[in-house]
Amino acid sequence: MSAASSVAFSNFSSEGSSSFIYTFIMELSGKRFLVIGGAGLIGSHTVDALLKEDVEEVRVFDNFTRGTREHLSGALKDPRCQIFPLGGELLHRDILDAAMKGIDGAFHFAALWLLHCHDFPRSAFEVNIGGTFNVLEACINNGVQRLVASSSASVYGDAVTEPMREDHPYNNTTFYGATKVAGEHMCHSLYHRYKDTDQRFDYVGLRYMNVYGPRQDYKGTYIAVIMKILDRLDQGLPPIIYGDGSQAYDFVYVEDCSQSNICAMKSEATDEFYNVGTGIKTSLKELTELILNITGSEQKIQFEPSGKTFVKNRVGCPLKAESEINFKAKVQLREGLERLIAWRNQHKELVTQRRQSVVGASV
């Protein structure tokens, strides 16, 4: 197959009969990739990471609802990168199908975010579930050999056990999380439907923890707190924490996430889901104190009555990803926050526009 190397090995049963298991190893060199949602936070950094490889083409499919062309300003200077010119809507199946032509591997990041799903569940159903099915169908119809699909730690909900391994029960209570659960099961079922046919495609799913870093906006429910803290400090005001600050999450830097996608595309794994995180538990109080230290602020934390929170405790176990797809997060939280703050200081006008874009929204 043109998009991957095929490796076969015998698997002998206890009765002595043998079967053959085929593992497809994607070689990135000389290959063409479609990045769906490639102008977003994780998507644009994955585009950058792909262009560091010896790839033939990186094609971006995006409707720019949340992503921006500015995120791709550096990537588009590379002649191997282009925005698909005919459209970027997941629900436009014929256009999505056209974008898949000649593609060896695809990355799927496009989705409505958590609060949007909460407020508009019908749209979330159509885009996150229907759109994901469209992506899978287009991959199958066009012979795309590997898909890296973005899921979310939202499928876990609040922790039942810590740290959360990939076999942690689905404890999700949000509609966004429900759409991600549906997406996972569609990947799993269609893989098994086609795995012994000429239309076989491999996939790896990634469950991102709390992703932060340059290019982030105010729409990420659990990382927007970073931008809001910095806003308050800019105004000479104390940072606000709702509740006692004990809510704890796994904060993972966006460039680490982009590398997880490259690792997943290169790996032998298929029909598997992996946590993408650090495995380090950081409370909101600890996060805020670290930001105060980095910025040199002498402001004191202002605690307010607890507001609406979907999840209060979520930290992922990173060991399966390290073992099976060779991914391990490298950027420590302090370093990542320093990079985010530097980017924010260099893009004050863009940050202001993003802050204003969520005024009046349910955040």
Side-chain angles (χ1 to χ4, degrees), residues 225 229 241 244-251 280-291 301 303 312-315 333:
V225 64
I229 290 169
I241 289 181
D244 62 5
S246 64
Q247 309 95 306
Y249 307 104
D250 185 341
F251 294 94
I280 298 172
K281 185 174 186 176
T282 304
S283 71
L284 290 187
K285 184 174 182 291
E286 291 170 332
L287 174 72
T288 306
E289 289 172 342
L290 182 55
I291 293 173
I301 299 172
F303 293 92
K312 295 182 179 180
N313 187 33
R314 186 171 64 200
V315 179
L333 182 57

PDB file of all heavy atoms in Angstrom, residues 225 229 241 244-251 280-291 301 303 312-315 333:
ATOM      1  N   VAL A 225      -9.166  29.948  32.246  1.00  0.00           N
ATOM      2  CA  VAL A 225      -8.827  30.528  33.538  1.00  0.00           C
ATOM      3  C   VAL A 225      -7.441  31.165  33.495  1.00  0.00           C
ATOM      4  O   VAL A 225      -7.206  32.205  34.139  1.00  0.00           O
ATOM      5  CB  VAL A 225      -8.918  29.470  34.659  1.00  0.00           C
ATOM      6  CG1 VAL A 225      -7.906  28.352  34.459  1.00  0.00           C
ATOM      7  CG2 VAL A 225      -8.736  30.108  36.019  1.00  0.00           C
ATOM      8  N   ILE A 229      -6.858  35.060  34.442  1.00  0.00           N
ATOM      9  CA  ILE A 229      -5.941  35.475  35.499  1.00  0.00           C
ATOM     10  C   ILE A 229      -5.007  36.563  34.986  1.00  0.00           C
ATOM     11  O   ILE A 229      -4.790  37.598  35.644  1.00  0.00           O
ATOM     12  CB  ILE A 229      -5.137  34.271  36.024  1.00  0.00           C
ATOM     13  CG1 ILE A 229      -6.041  33.319  36.807  1.00  0.00           C
ATOM     14  CG2 ILE A 229      -3.967  34.731  36.901  1.00  0.00           C
ATOM     15  CD1 ILE A 229      -5.380  31.992  37.136  1.00  0.00           C
ATOM     16  N   ILE A 241     -10.480  33.086  41.973  1.00  0.00           N
ATOM     17  CA  ILE A 241     -10.730  31.647  41.915  1.00  0.00           C
ATOM     18  C   ILE A 241     -12.113  31.405  42.491  1.00  0.00           C
ATOM     19  O   ILE A 241     -12.445  31.902  43.572  1.00  0.00           O
ATOM     20  CB  ILE A 241      -9.686  30.855  42.712  1.00  0.00           C
ATOM     21  CG1 ILE A 241      -8.330  30.883  42.005  1.00  0.00           C
ATOM     22  CG2 ILE A 241     -10.138  29.406  42.900  1.00  0.00           C
ATOM     23  CD1 ILE A 241      -7.243  30.098  42.735  1.00  0.00           C
ATOM     24  N   ASP A 244     -12.639  26.885  46.447  1.00  0.00           N
ATOM     25  CA  ASP A 244     -11.451  26.955  47.311  1.00  0.00           C
ATOM     26  C   ASP A 244     -10.139  26.727  46.560  1.00  0.00           C
ATOM     27  O   ASP A 244      -9.057  26.736  47.168  1.00  0.00           O
ATOM     28  CB  ASP A 244     -11.574  25.959  48.461  1.00  0.00           C
ATOM     29  CG  ASP A 244     -11.661  24.506  47.985  1.00  0.00           C
ATOM     30  OD1 ASP A 244     -11.525  24.264  46.765  1.00  0.00           O
ATOM     31  OD2 ASP A 244     -11.875  23.619  48.837  1.00  0.00           O
ATOM     32  N   GLY A 245     -10.229  26.507  45.246  1.00  0.00           N
ATOM     33  CA  GLY A 245      -9.015  26.325  44.450  1.00  0.00           C
ATOM     34  C   GLY A 245      -8.460  24.925  44.463  1.00  0.00           C
ATOM     35  O   GLY A 245      -7.382  24.668  43.915  1.00  0.00           O
ATOM     36  N   SER A 246      -9.180  23.996  45.061  1.00  0.00           N
ATOM     37  CA  SER A 246      -8.685  22.616  45.128  1.00  0.00           C
ATOM     38  C   SER A 246      -8.972  21.837  43.846  1.00  0.00           C
ATOM     39  O   SER A 246      -8.444  20.729  43.675  1.00  0.00           O
ATOM     40  CB  SER A 246      -9.317  21.889  46.316  1.00  0.00           C
ATOM     41  OG  SER A 246     -10.728  21.775  46.150  1.00  0.00           O
ATOM     42  N   GLN A 247      -9.802  22.392  42.954  1.00  0.00           N
ATOM     43  CA  GLN A 247     -10.081  21.713  41.690  1.00  0.00           C
ATOM     44  C   GLN A 247      -8.752  21.453  40.980  1.00  0.00           C
ATOM     45  O   GLN A 247      -7.937  22.367  40.821  1.00  0.00           O
ATOM     46  CB  GLN A 247     -10.981  22.570  40.796  1.00  0.00           C
ATOM     47  CG  GLN A 247     -12.247  23.090  41.459  1.00  0.00           C
ATOM     48  CD  GLN A 247     -12.087  24.497  42.015  1.00  0.00           C
ATOM     49  OE1 GLN A 247     -11.177  24.750  42.794  1.00  0.00           O
ATOM     50  NE2 GLN A 247     -12.977  25.402  41.610  1.00  0.00           N
ATOM     51  N   ALA A 248      -8.527  20.235  40.525  1.00  0.00           N
ATOM     52  CA  ALA A 248      -7.205  19.869  40.018  1.00  0.00           C
ATOM     53  C   ALA A 248      -7.291  19.213  38.648  1.00  0.00           C
ATOM     54  O   ALA A 248      -8.169  18.385  38.399  1.00  0.00           O
ATOM     55  CB  ALA A 248      -6.508  18.937  41.008  1.00  0.00           C
ATOM     56  N   TYR A 249      -6.334  19.576  37.787  1.00  0.00           N
ATOM     57  CA  TYR A 249      -6.343  19.108  36.402  1.00  0.00           C
ATOM     58  C   TYR A 249      -4.925  18.758  35.952  1.00  0.00           C
ATOM     59  O   TYR A 249      -3.943  19.017  36.645  1.00  0.00           O
ATOM     60  CB  TYR A 249      -6.940  20.182  35.487  1.00  0.00           C
ATOM     61  CG  TYR A 249      -8.293  20.667  35.947  1.00  0.00           C
ATOM     62  CD1 TYR A 249      -8.443  21.904  36.583  1.00  0.00           C
ATOM     63  CD2 TYR A 249      -9.435  19.885  35.785  1.00  0.00           C
ATOM     64  CE1 TYR A 249      -9.685  22.345  37.025  1.00  0.00           C
ATOM     65  CE2 TYR A 249     -10.678  20.312  36.224  1.00  0.00           C
ATOM     66  CZ  TYR A 249     -10.792  21.543  36.841  1.00  0.00           C
ATOM     67  OH  TYR A 249     -12.023  21.962  37.295  1.00  0.00           O
ATOM     68  N   ASP A 250      -4.867  18.200  34.767  1.00  0.00           N
ATOM     69  CA  ASP A 250      -3.610  17.805  34.129  1.00  0.00           C
ATOM     70  C   ASP A 250      -3.386  18.782  32.980  1.00  0.00           C
ATOM     71  O   ASP A 250      -4.012  18.672  31.928  1.00  0.00           O
ATOM     72  CB  ASP A 250      -3.746  16.362  33.631  1.00  0.00           C
ATOM     73  CG  ASP A 250      -2.457  15.802  33.043  1.00  0.00           C
ATOM     74  OD1 ASP A 250      -1.563  16.583  32.687  1.00  0.00           O
ATOM     75  OD2 ASP A 250      -2.370  14.561  32.929  1.00  0.00           O
ATOM     76  N   PHE A 251      -2.495  19.754  33.160  1.00  0.00           N
ATOM     77  CA  PHE A 251      -2.235  20.777  32.149  1.00  0.00           C
ATOM     78  C   PHE A 251      -1.095  20.327  31.254  1.00  0.00           C
ATOM     79  O   PHE A 251       0.020  20.064  31.717  1.00  0.00           O
ATOM     80  CB  PHE A 251      -1.900  22.121  32.805  1.00  0.00           C
ATOM     81  CG  PHE A 251      -3.050  22.727  33.568  1.00  0.00           C
ATOM     82  CD1 PHE A 251      -3.183  22.515  34.931  1.00  0.00           C
ATOM     83  CD2 PHE A 251      -4.011  23.484  32.911  1.00  0.00           C
ATOM     84  CE1 PHE A 251      -4.247  23.060  35.639  1.00  0.00           C
ATOM     85  CE2 PHE A 251      -5.080  24.025  33.610  1.00  0.00           C
ATOM     86  CZ  PHE A 251      -5.206  23.824  34.972  1.00  0.00           C
ATOM     87  N   ILE A 280       0.605  14.862  35.885  1.00  0.00           N
ATOM     88  CA  ILE A 280       0.880  15.704  37.055  1.00  0.00           C
ATOM     89  C   ILE A 280      -0.385  16.455  37.448  1.00  0.00           C
ATOM     90  O   ILE A 280      -1.014  17.118  36.611  1.00  0.00           O
ATOM     91  CB  ILE A 280       2.017  16.696  36.761  1.00  0.00           C
ATOM     92  CG1 ILE A 280       3.302  15.935  36.445  1.00  0.00           C
ATOM     93  CG2 ILE A 280       2.222  17.650  37.941  1.00  0.00           C
ATOM     94  CD1 ILE A 280       4.430  16.813  35.952  1.00  0.00           C
ATOM     95  N   LYS A 281      -0.734  16.376  38.705  1.00  0.00           N
ATOM     96  CA  LYS A 281      -1.941  17.010  39.231  1.00  0.00           C
ATOM     97  C   LYS A 281      -1.624  18.420  39.712  1.00  0.00           C
ATOM     98  O   LYS A 281      -0.751  18.612  40.555  1.00  0.00           O
ATOM     99  CB  LYS A 281      -2.494  16.165  40.380  1.00  0.00           C
ATOM    100  CG  LYS A 281      -3.814  16.622  40.959  1.00  0.00           C
ATOM    101  CD  LYS A 281      -4.286  15.604  41.989  1.00  0.00           C
ATOM    102  CE  LYS A 281      -5.675  15.923  42.513  1.00  0.00           C
ATOM    103  NZ  LYS A 281      -6.162  14.872  43.444  1.00  0.00           N
ATOM    104  N   THR A 282      -2.343  19.416  39.159  1.00  0.00           N
ATOM    105  CA  THR A 282      -2.135  20.808  39.543  1.00  0.00           C
ATOM    106  C   THR A 282      -3.471  21.427  39.901  1.00  0.00           C
ATOM    107  O   THR A 282      -4.388  21.464  39.077  1.00  0.00           O
ATOM    108  CB  THR A 282      -1.485  21.616  38.400  1.00  0.00           C
ATOM    109  OG1 THR A 282      -0.258  20.984  38.010  1.00  0.00           O
ATOM    110  CG2 THR A 282      -1.206  23.045  38.842  1.00  0.00           C
ATOM    111  N   SER A 283      -3.583  21.929  41.118  1.00  0.00           N
ATOM    112  CA  SER A 283      -4.826  22.583  41.523  1.00  0.00           C
ATOM    113  C   SER A 283      -4.886  23.991  40.950  1.00  0.00           C
ATOM    114  O   SER A 283      -3.854  24.577  40.578  1.00  0.00           O
ATOM    115  CB  SER A 283      -4.921  22.653  43.055  1.00  0.00           C
ATOM    116  OG  SER A 283      -3.999  23.588  43.571  1.00  0.00           O
ATOM    117  N   LEU A 284      -6.086  24.556  40.890  1.00  0.00           N
ATOM    118  CA  LEU A 284      -6.218  25.926  40.401  1.00  0.00           C
ATOM    119  C   LEU A 284      -5.487  26.903  41.317  1.00  0.00           C
ATOM    120  O   LEU A 284      -4.945  27.914  40.844  1.00  0.00           O
ATOM    121  CB  LEU A 284      -7.694  26.303  40.296  1.00  0.00           C
ATOM    122  CG  LEU A 284      -8.498  25.609  39.195  1.00  0.00           C
ATOM    123  CD1 LEU A 284      -9.894  26.205  39.104  1.00  0.00           C
ATOM    124  CD2 LEU A 284      -7.797  25.725  37.838  1.00  0.00           C
ATOM    125  N   LYS A 285      -5.450  26.626  42.596  1.00  0.00           N
ATOM    126  CA  LYS A 285      -4.697  27.479  43.516  1.00  0.00           C
ATOM    127  C   LYS A 285      -3.207  27.414  43.198  1.00  0.00           C
ATOM    128  O   LYS A 285      -2.523  28.456  43.134  1.00  0.00           O
ATOM    129  CB  LYS A 285      -4.949  27.045  44.959  1.00  0.00           C
ATOM    130  CG  LYS A 285      -4.286  27.929  46.014  1.00  0.00           C
ATOM    131  CD  LYS A 285      -4.706  27.502  47.410  1.00  0.00           C
ATOM    132  CE  LYS A 285      -4.091  28.420  48.475  1.00  0.00           C
ATOM    133  NZ  LYS A 285      -2.630  28.241  48.566  1.00  0.00           N
ATOM    134  N   GLU A 286      -2.686  26.224  42.961  1.00  0.00           N
ATOM    135  CA  GLU A 286      -1.276  26.084  42.609  1.00  0.00           C
ATOM    136  C   GLU A 286      -0.973  26.758  41.277  1.00  0.00           C
ATOM    137  O   GLU A 286       0.065  27.416  41.115  1.00  0.00           O
ATOM    138  CB  GLU A 286      -0.902  24.607  42.543  1.00  0.00           C
ATOM    139  CG  GLU A 286      -0.902  23.900  43.891  1.00  0.00           C
ATOM    140  CD  GLU A 286      -0.770  22.403  43.769  1.00  0.00           C
ATOM    141  OE1 GLU A 286      -1.200  21.835  42.731  1.00  0.00           O
ATOM    142  OE2 GLU A 286      -0.248  21.778  44.715  1.00  0.00           O
ATOM    143  N   LEU A 287      -1.878  26.597  40.304  1.00  0.00           N
ATOM    144  CA  LEU A 287      -1.711  27.233  38.996  1.00  0.00           C
ATOM    145  C   LEU A 287      -1.644  28.750  39.145  1.00  0.00           C
ATOM    146  O   LEU A 287      -0.762  29.406  38.573  1.00  0.00           O
ATOM    147  CB  LEU A 287      -2.876  26.849  38.082  1.00  0.00           C
ATOM    148  CG  LEU A 287      -2.918  27.553  36.721  1.00  0.00           C
ATOM    149  CD1 LEU A 287      -1.819  27.035  35.820  1.00  0.00           C
ATOM    150  CD2 LEU A 287      -4.284  27.348  36.059  1.00  0.00           C
ATOM    151  N   THR A 288      -2.562  29.307  39.908  1.00  0.00           N
ATOM    152  CA  THR A 288      -2.614  30.758  40.083  1.00  0.00           C
ATOM    153  C   THR A 288      -1.376  31.266  40.804  1.00  0.00           C
ATOM    154  O   THR A 288      -0.796  32.301  40.422  1.00  0.00           O
ATOM    155  CB  THR A 288      -3.881  31.146  40.865  1.00  0.00           C
ATOM    156  OG1 THR A 288      -5.024  30.598  40.218  1.00  0.00           O
ATOM    157  CG2 THR A 288      -4.035  32.656  40.935  1.00  0.00           C
ATOM    158  N   GLU A 289      -0.939  30.561  41.822  1.00  0.00           N
ATOM    159  CA  GLU A 289       0.265  30.962  42.549  1.00  0.00           C
ATOM    160  C   GLU A 289       1.493  30.925  41.633  1.00  0.00           C
ATOM    161  O   GLU A 289       2.376  31.799  41.731  1.00  0.00           O
ATOM    162  CB  GLU A 289       0.473  30.055  43.751  1.00  0.00           C
ATOM    163  CG  GLU A 289      -0.551  30.280  44.858  1.00  0.00           C
ATOM    164  CD  GLU A 289      -0.469  29.246  45.975  1.00  0.00           C
ATOM    165  OE1 GLU A 289       0.130  28.171  45.747  1.00  0.00           O
ATOM    166  OE2 GLU A 289      -1.010  29.513  47.060  1.00  0.00           O
ATOM    167  N   LEU A 290       1.544  29.964  40.740  1.00  0.00           N
ATOM    168  CA  LEU A 290       2.663  29.879  39.801  1.00  0.00           C
ATOM    169  C   LEU A 290       2.647  31.060  38.838  1.00  0.00           C
ATOM    170  O   LEU A 290       3.699  31.660  38.551  1.00  0.00           O
ATOM    171  CB  LEU A 290       2.601  28.557  39.037  1.00  0.00           C
ATOM    172  CG  LEU A 290       3.725  28.281  38.038  1.00  0.00           C
ATOM    173  CD1 LEU A 290       5.098  28.381  38.702  1.00  0.00           C
ATOM    174  CD2 LEU A 290       3.535  26.910  37.395  1.00  0.00           C
ATOM    175  N   ILE A 291       1.468  31.422  38.337  1.00  0.00           N
ATOM    176  CA  ILE A 291       1.367  32.574  37.433  1.00  0.00           C
ATOM    177  C   ILE A 291       1.774  33.851  38.163  1.00  0.00           C
ATOM    178  O   ILE A 291       2.489  34.712  37.605  1.00  0.00           O
ATOM    179  CB  ILE A 291      -0.063  32.686  36.869  1.00  0.00           C
ATOM    180  CG1 ILE A 291      -0.356  31.505  35.948  1.00  0.00           C
ATOM    181  CG2 ILE A 291      -0.244  34.010  36.115  1.00  0.00           C
ATOM    182  CD1 ILE A 291      -1.801  31.432  35.471  1.00  0.00           C
ATOM    183  N   ILE A 301      -4.724  36.182  45.877  1.00  0.00           N
ATOM    184  CA  ILE A 301      -5.853  35.489  45.252  1.00  0.00           C
ATOM    185  C   ILE A 301      -7.154  35.898  45.934  1.00  0.00           C
ATOM    186  O   ILE A 301      -7.233  35.945  47.162  1.00  0.00           O
ATOM    187  CB  ILE A 301      -5.674  33.963  45.323  1.00  0.00           C
ATOM    188  CG1 ILE A 301      -4.403  33.540  44.575  1.00  0.00           C
ATOM    189  CG2 ILE A 301      -6.895  33.239  44.748  1.00  0.00           C
ATOM    190  CD1 ILE A 301      -4.051  32.073  44.750  1.00  0.00           C
ATOM    191  N   PHE A 303     -10.869  34.712  46.500  1.00  0.00           N
ATOM    192  CA  PHE A 303     -11.722  33.525  46.410  1.00  0.00           C
ATOM    193  C   PHE A 303     -13.185  33.949  46.416  1.00  0.00           C
ATOM    194  O   PHE A 303     -13.608  34.769  47.235  1.00  0.00           O
ATOM    195  CB  PHE A 303     -11.450  32.579  47.571  1.00  0.00           C
ATOM    196  CG  PHE A 303     -10.079  31.956  47.524  1.00  0.00           C
ATOM    197  CD1 PHE A 303      -9.004  32.549  48.182  1.00  0.00           C
ATOM    198  CD2 PHE A 303      -9.860  30.788  46.807  1.00  0.00           C
ATOM    199  CE1 PHE A 303      -7.743  31.979  48.138  1.00  0.00           C
ATOM    200  CE2 PHE A 303      -8.604  30.210  46.760  1.00  0.00           C
ATOM    201  CZ  PHE A 303      -7.537  30.813  47.425  1.00  0.00           C
ATOM    202  N   LYS A 312     -14.224  18.552  38.485  1.00  0.00           N
ATOM    203  CA  LYS A 312     -13.412  19.132  39.556  1.00  0.00           C
ATOM    204  C   LYS A 312     -12.094  18.408  39.769  1.00  0.00           C
ATOM    205  O   LYS A 312     -11.227  18.915  40.470  1.00  0.00           O
ATOM    206  CB  LYS A 312     -14.205  19.123  40.869  1.00  0.00           C
ATOM    207  CG  LYS A 312     -15.435  20.019  40.847  1.00  0.00           C
ATOM    208  CD  LYS A 312     -16.153  19.998  42.186  1.00  0.00           C
ATOM    209  CE  LYS A 312     -17.370  20.922  42.160  1.00  0.00           C
ATOM    210  NZ  LYS A 312     -18.103  20.922  43.456  1.00  0.00           N
ATOM    211  N   ASN A 313     -11.948  17.252  39.166  1.00  0.00           N
ATOM    212  CA  ASN A 313     -10.748  16.469  39.429  1.00  0.00           C
ATOM    213  C   ASN A 313     -10.488  15.532  38.248  1.00  0.00           C
ATOM    214  O   ASN A 313     -11.252  14.591  38.022  1.00  0.00           O
ATOM    215  CB  ASN A 313     -10.918  15.660  40.718  1.00  0.00           C
ATOM    216  CG  ASN A 313      -9.646  14.973  41.119  1.00  0.00           C
ATOM    217  OD1 ASN A 313      -8.559  15.478  40.891  1.00  0.00           O
ATOM    218  ND2 ASN A 313      -9.771  13.795  41.708  1.00  0.00           N
ATOM    219  N   ARG A 314      -9.396  15.811  37.503  1.00  0.00           N
ATOM    220  CA  ARG A 314      -9.139  14.985  36.317  1.00  0.00           C
ATOM    221  C   ARG A 314      -7.650  15.029  35.966  1.00  0.00           C
ATOM    222  O   ARG A 314      -7.126  16.052  35.525  1.00  0.00           O
ATOM    223  CB  ARG A 314      -9.976  15.475  35.135  1.00  0.00           C
ATOM    224  CG  ARG A 314      -9.865  14.586  33.907  1.00  0.00           C
ATOM    225  CD  ARG A 314     -10.869  14.996  32.845  1.00  0.00           C
ATOM    226  NE  ARG A 314     -10.611  16.325  32.344  1.00  0.00           N
ATOM    227  CZ  ARG A 314     -11.517  17.075  31.718  1.00  0.00           C
ATOM    228  NH1 ARG A 314     -12.751  16.630  31.562  1.00  0.00           N
ATOM    229  NH2 ARG A 314     -11.201  18.272  31.271  1.00  0.00           N
ATOM    230  N   VAL A 315      -6.983  13.915  36.173  1.00  0.00           N
ATOM    231  CA  VAL A 315      -5.564  13.787  35.850  1.00  0.00           C
ATOM    232  C   VAL A 315      -5.367  12.441  35.170  1.00  0.00           C
ATOM    233  O   VAL A 315      -5.805  11.400  35.677  1.00  0.00           O
ATOM    234  CB  VAL A 315      -4.679  13.877  37.107  1.00  0.00           C
ATOM    235  CG1 VAL A 315      -3.209  13.703  36.737  1.00  0.00           C
ATOM    236  CG2 VAL A 315      -4.897  15.204  37.816  1.00  0.00           C
ATOM    237  N   LEU A 333       5.179  22.738  33.420  1.00  0.00           N
ATOM    238  CA  LEU A 333       4.133  23.754  33.480  1.00  0.00           C
ATOM    239  C   LEU A 333       4.721  25.164  33.562  1.00  0.00           C
ATOM    240  O   LEU A 333       4.236  26.073  32.869  1.00  0.00           O
ATOM    241  CB  LEU A 333       3.219  23.490  34.679  1.00  0.00           C
ATOM    242  CG  LEU A 333       2.034  24.449  34.848  1.00  0.00           C
ATOM    243  CD1 LEU A 333       1.150  24.473  33.613  1.00  0.00           C
ATOM    244  CD2 LEU A 333       1.206  24.054  36.090  1.00  0.00           C
TER     245      LEU A 333
END
